Amino acid sequence: MNITGSTRVLGVFGHPVSHSLSPVMHNAAIRALGLDFVYVPFHVLPENLEKAVNGIRALDIAGVNVTIPHKERIIKFLDEVSENARRIGSVNTVINERGRLRGESTDGAGFLRSAEAVWGKIGGKVVILGAGGSAKAVAYALGDAGCEVVIANRTFDRAMELAQALKAAFGADKSRAVGLGGDDLEREIRGADLLVNTTSVGMHPHSDGIPISPELIGAGLKVYDLVYNPLETRLVREARANGAEAMTGLGMLIHQGAVSFEMWTGQNAPVEVMAKSVEHIMSGEL
Ligand code: NAP
């Protein structure tokens, strides 16, 4: 990569940020297409977020990704926020349009693109485990795709709140909430086409965790676990052992990055190159 006087800067705001896979993934894409961009990590403390956002304008940074813990709070410092980011209350991509900063969320599109790249068109009934930030992004993307979405969460009130919002957006028959244990969840999973885990259960270093009993997973179900560290979670392992098709969240990570990349550069993202760069790091790390 040749940095010159005309090189445009992209980056990621996070705290912590040193674990982020985005710099490797985006720089691999930039190199593959021979673009005059560079992507760098910015360690932004919560108390410095507003100044950092002003820095995007002052330094004419072309765009940034936004990660934990800034995805919600950054909204108030931006000039414009897309309808999709507004409804899920979270921004993971900022685009600098001649000094005007626009916030977008590419998580839902990244999830759907990655699932459809493997399984083809996603439809029917989906059970989502969890009701946090990623659950919202995934649930709205599935709602847009015409799916019926059942939310199951440990804290039932949060499941109810998300299901209510989905009903308001997509229709009363398009969503409902159930608890994380019990017969209702069992019944919903038996009639589902896809099960998506958006809880952090099973994530390194607690990789023996599993959000539901594996007995609930039958051979006809598709299982998507958003957790990507470890590369094969216990949920995915048990689902495959039961004859179900299952995937972890690495695909979503790559595709949400690809959508951001396309917004900044206007070029089709080299998804295969991005995937190889991330898989290379993950296999060395684990
Ligand atoms: P979040 O907003 O903090 O939500 C966490 C969710 O997990 C909540 O629904 C919470 O339930 C549930 N939860 C946490 N511990 C639990 C436990 N012990 N038992 C049952 N439920 C539990 O987090 P998030 O941003 O949505 O992220 C969740 C996971 O998705 C993380 O592992 C993250 O790495 C992964 N993720 C992956 C991608 C990707 O690109 N693949 C993107 C985003 C997130 P309560 O409401 O009851 O607390």
Side-chain angles (χ1 to χ4, degrees), residues 130-134 153-155 158 198-199 201 203 226 228 249 252-253:
S134 59
N153 194 46
R154 176 178 63 177
T155 308
R158 291 185 84 193
T198 74
T199 77
V201 178
M203 197 169 139
L226 258 57
Y228 55 82
M252 173 168 168
L253 179 83

Side-chain angles (χ1 to χ4, degrees), residues 52-61 77-79 96 99-101:
V53 172
N54 284 331
I56 300 175
R57 298 184 181 95
L59 301 172
D60 194 25
I61 290 168
F77 304 128
L78 302 175
D79 299 305
N96 184 356
R100 264 188 79 75
L101 303 186

Side-chain angles (χ1 to χ4, degrees), residues 16 18-19 22 32 39 78 105-106 116 137-138 147-148 154 163 167 169 174 188 220 225 229 256 271 275 277 286:
S18 58
H19 67 288
S22 295
Y39 187 110
L78 302 175
S105 175
T106 66
E116 292 191 338
V138 167
C147 297
E148 183 186 339
R154 176 178 63 177
K167 282 181 186 194
K174 284 295 192 183
E188 295 290 5
D225 193 345
N229 183 4
Q256 60 78 29
V271 173
S277 70
L286 298 172

